Amino acid sequence: MPTPSLSDLTQALLTAATRAGAEAADALAVSGASLTVDIRRGALEQAERAEGTEIGLRVLIGRRQACVSASDTSAATIAALAERAVAMAREAPEDPTVGLADPSQLARDTDASALDLYDDAPEPAAAALEAEARAAESAALAARGITQVEASASWSRRQMHLAATNGFSAGYGRSSRSLSATAFCGEGTGMERDWAGEARTHAADMPDAAETGARAAERALARLGATKPPTGHFPVLFDERVAASLIGHLLSAINGTAIARGASWAKDLMGQPVLSPGLTLVEDPHRPRISSSRPFDAEGLPTARRVLVQDGVLQGWVLDLATGRKLGLPSTANASRGPSAPPSPSTTGIDLTQGTASREDLIAAMGTGLLVTSMIGSTINPTTGDYSRGAAGFWVEGGQIVRPVNECTIAGNLKDLLRRMTPANDARAHLSIRVPSLLVEGLTLAGA
């Protein structure tokens, strides 16, 4: 018996839901395969391949909804899922904001081919991925002082199809290749480690594996002899590797879920400054060969480029249908979901204005302060914006890096620090969130 297509599976789920008594429903079917090879201490630690299909069904009865999912795609399971979902929906609390999109809102052009998200090259052999991981490992071990390396190479391919009783039915595929290396150096309490990694949608775009390994080694060795920085108020330069986390906090604050609950420090800032003057934050889900790009959202609405922050001023929230209804606003086509949960708002393809100065220029300009290259833990108050994170990196004096530092805490308030940022020009073009290194004046450091 031939394996049903993802489109056929979603249609079977909708048919079963209607028969079971659902007034409306949407269904998601996802299939994929992945291959991962891990190298540790010079030996092959793991080679793992996985593949499977998962189905999810959301049913609506009036203003009540329920979601169910399964990895078994048999007709009996689909029928049982639908009956269970309908029974759950009948017992669920009413929510006046739930509901499918009106057919007039649905995407008409659902072709994802222009986004070039799917690499149709053959699946790589495990031996080929092992060779990549070993090349990264060898390059890292070639650096004097590196004592151990862990390297991993992976490949994945995924297809999805979304359908609903409002008439929407479309899908697309994604692929991914990645490589990472973690290098260790030093001994005992003086041991340090750092990593480097690369990921692309297409294998042909991956950089040389040896470059990744060498970069991991260079970063680890630079951390040897780290000490605590002084305590006080200093400028902090967030390296490009970690700067996106600052923008991530802003994106969380303008997410419709937080705004609708009134649990965001940005809830009263629509039309007000949230970033430094001159900085613009754009969402563009149509960038080719970018892992998060998509032609439509998880509710079948057409995605489009939009400006979230213009010249520092907040322009709009991030909404799906439900959060938009709660706020009396239209959806911004930001719905995301998996098979087991209803839609919720999230962003894809974020770009922050780049500056004209290099990271080295900002280091020279900051005088004395902290260059942050890694962060651990966080205490973020989503209501007030109070910010505190553990950090490590390098101490800067006289505009020059003088020593590695660790075991320190950075503190401030997001409302203030986001409006005091100076961007560098080093954002990497292939990332789905393109944010350059960011210099922030006057943060509190707790170190020695």
Side-chain angles (χ1 to χ4, degrees):
M1 184 175 182
T3 302
S5 68
L6 297 185
S7 175
D8 290 341
L9 286 174
T10 57
Q11 189 55 55
L13 285 162
L14 296 180
T15 300
T18 302
R19 287 175 179 169
E23 296 174 7
D26 58 15
L28 180 65
V30 181
S31 68
S34 64
L35 178 62
T36 302
V37 173
D38 297 324
I39 301 294
R40 186 170 184 267
R41 294 183 180 274
L44 177 63
E45 183 175 54
Q46 176 177 269
E48 180 179 85
R49 190 183 190 283
E51 63 178 88
T53 300
E54 189 174 4
I55 52 176
L57 176 66
R58 178 173 63 137
V59 304
L60 298 99
I61 299 177
R63 293 302 182 182
R64 307 172 190 268
Q65 70 176 1
C67 295
V68 293
S69 64
S71 55
D72 178 6
T73 61
S74 67
T77 295
I78 288 174
L81 271 184
E83 292 172 2
R84 187 176 302 120
V86 168
M88 291 168 59
R90 288 182 174 137
E91 300 300 323
E94 286 198 0
D95 182 346
T97 67
V98 304
L100 303 183
D102 185 87
S104 65
Q105 297 176 285
L106 298 174
R108 302 295 178 227
D109 182 6
T110 59
D111 184 7
S113 58
L115 301 180
D116 198 12
L117 304 175
Y118 191 84
D119 187 353
D120 56 8
E123 175 181 341
L129 292 185
E130 180 181 352
E132 289 182 10
R134 289 194 179 279
E137 176 197 42
S138 295
L141 288 173
R144 184 176 181 181
I146 296 299
T147 58
Q148 180 184 330
V149 177
E150 297 174 357
S152 178
S154 66
W155 163 91
S156 69
R157 188 173 285 167
R158 187 169 178 262
Q159 295 274 357
M160 62 78 66
H161 195 93
L162 174 69
T165 54
N166 59 9
F168 185 81
S169 181
Y172 56 88
R174 297 185 187 278
S175 59
S176 174
R177 281 290 292 270
S178 64
L179 174 72
S180 66
T182 301
F184 299 78
C185 57
E187 297 179 351
T189 58
M191 179 177 288
E192 295 288 349
R193 73 176 194 173
D194 209 329
W195 71 282
E198 297 286 351
R200 303 289 192 278
T201 58
H202 289 60
D205 296 340
M206 286 289 288
D208 183 67
E211 293 178 7
T212 299
R215 188 162 59 252
E218 179 183 7
R219 289 172 175 173
L221 292 168
R223 296 172 68 112
L224 281 173
T227 58
K228 292 183 180 181
T231 293
H233 294 276
F234 298 97
V236 175
L237 176 59
F238 292 82
D239 184 78
E240 185 267 345
R241 296 167 65 191
V242 298
S245 66
L246 294 179
I247 299 305
H249 296 313
L250 173 60
L251 295 174
S252 296
I254 66 173
N255 186 287
T257 300
I259 299 300
R261 291 174 178 169
S264 168
W265 55 265
K267 62 184 175 62
D268 298 320
L269 295 180
M270 181 60 68
Q272 301 297 314
V274 293
L275 293 177
S276 303
L279 294 188
T280 293
L281 188 66
V282 173
E283 179 184 29
D284 186 356
H286 294 170
R287 289 164 52 202
R289 292 199 179 200
I290 299 300
S291 60
S292 65
S293 293
R294 56 183 183 170
F296 54 85
D297 77 348
E299 294 176 306
L301 275 62
T303 54
R305 184 183 185 276
R306 63 187 292 249
V307 177
L308 299 173
V309 179
Q310 178 73 52
D311 193 17
V313 176
L314 180 61
Q315 303 295 308
W317 309 126
V318 175
L319 305 171
D320 62 358
L321 285 170
T323 54
R325 290 166 183 148
K326 289 177 183 177
L327 297 170
L329 296 169
S331 170
T332 56
N334 281 103
S336 295
R337 66 172 293 189
S340 60
S344 62
S346 69
T347 55
T348 59
I350 295 297
D351 263 311
L352 180 70
T353 303
Q354 292 207 64
T356 57
S358 67
R359 191 189 78 153
E360 289 68 31
D361 292 334
L362 294 186
I363 291 173
M366 70 191 294
T368 297
L370 176 66
L371 166 62
V372 178
T373 57
S374 66
M375 308 184 83
I376 57 171
S378 66
T379 301
I380 311 296
N381 187 317
T383 303
T384 65
D386 288 337
Y387 173 92
S388 178
R389 293 201 67 180
F394 299 89
W395 190 245
V396 176
E397 290 183 0
Q400 299 286 331
I401 293 175
V402 295
R403 60 186 172 92
V405 295
N406 59 11
E407 297 183 12
C408 64
T409 300
I410 305 169
N413 186 278
L414 290 167
K415 291 182 184 179
D416 299 326
L417 72 87
L418 290 171
R419 295 200 298 264
R420 301 199 309 270
M421 300 191 307
T422 301
N425 61 0
D426 57 350
R428 288 174 287 169
H430 69 277
L431 296 181
S432 60
I433 301 179
R434 296 194 293 200
V435 176
S437 297
L438 297 170
L439 176 61
V440 181
E441 297 292 338
L443 290 180
T444 299
L445 299 186

